[in-house]
Amino acid sequence: MPNAWSRPVFRFAPSPNGPLHLGHALSALINERQASELGGRLLLRIEDIDRTRCRPEFETALQADLDWLGIPYERPVRRQSEHLSDYEEAFATLRSLGLVYPAFLSRGEIKAHVAAHEAQGRVWPRDPDGAPLYPGPEREWSRAEQEAALATGRQHAWRLDMGKAVRAAGALLFWAESGEGPEGETGEILAAPEAWGDVILSRPDAPSSYHLSVVVDDALQGVTHVTRGRDLFHATSVHRLLQRLLDLPVPLYHHHRLLLDPEGRKLSKSKGDAGLTAWRLSGRSADELRRFLLV
Ligand code: GLU
């Protein structure tokens, strides 16, 4: 029997920005199954860093859903909004390495910049989620220029200088089980964080980004196995990069299949897709749902 220190640690990490859908239930169940097969622990982490979208009532509802489903996660749960200083510390490390810069362009300005470029028949690069890469005029600014712009008090985000970060980190790998990647990638995968451009690390309405907080938390919670949907396959490249820059341990990654709607799109909270609460209220049991999802 493995002792407490060698037991694998899994986590389910939903954001309370809407009701859980069947895709989340699948993810929680796969985590539970893998943890139980390996004699591991299962943690629940509430990723509520984005204060504009997360609401406490969604957290209450998601815990009720998980309890109903019989997912045996450990308590207390970690709530990201209660650990901002951990992310600030990681951010300060990246800043001291000279890998971040303040970015002042608003969403509208980015859009206009990209549109002007594309109006000339040129293609503007987009990230794996389809968002245009940040143009990054500030990337070339001197320290004094940055300080002067910051002193004006203008709203800004902090971004990772991806080019510099990739050069500092060198080549990075992660492992993909059979056909895990969106293009059926398998085996040793060369991380490609540069596909995301200068990712945001913090912005006025969210003190830490998803990417930064997730790697900090996985390390602080001793997570050994990150099992999550294939929609996050490309994000793993950014996480591998941040782990190297921050000198954090690297968990094993597994990207599981996604549940798709009848049109072949991934389920989403915002589109009011197949809710877990709706399943519950229709009188169908948790066991029926387990059998339905874990085919
Ligand atoms: N909070 C993320 C979500 O709800 C998942 C993060 C992760 O598993 O790494 O999509």
Side-chain angles (χ1 to χ4, degrees), residues 11-17 24 27 31 45-48 80 210 214 218 226-229 231-232 239 253 266 269:
R11 89 306 193 264
F12 175 57
S15 301
N17 55 16
H24 297 104
S27 200
N31 270 286
R45 184 164 74 228
I46 303 295
E47 302 214 324
D48 59 349
Q80 290 188 324
Y210 157 63
V214 89
D218 284 338
V226 172
T227 292
R228 58 189 180 191
D231 51 332
L232 291 170
H239 302 171
Y253 285 94
K266 138 183 150 152
K269 289 179 188 142

Side-chain angles (χ1 to χ4, degrees), residues 47-90:
E47 302 214 324
D48 59 349
I49 209 96
D50 185 343
R51 287 172 298 197
T52 57
R53 300 177 61 219
C54 294
R55 299 220 299 267
E57 57 269 32
F58 288 131
E59 182 191 325
T60 309
L62 78 82
Q63 292 206 37
D65 282 341
L66 294 175
D67 289 342
W68 170 80
L69 198 49
I71 302 283
Y73 59 85
E74 288 181 15
R75 278 133 171 120
V77 301
R78 181 174 171 96
R79 212 165 276 113
Q80 290 188 324
S81 57
E82 294 169 356
H83 297 277
L84 300 185
S85 59
D86 291 332
Y87 317 126
E88 275 159 21
E89 209 176 293

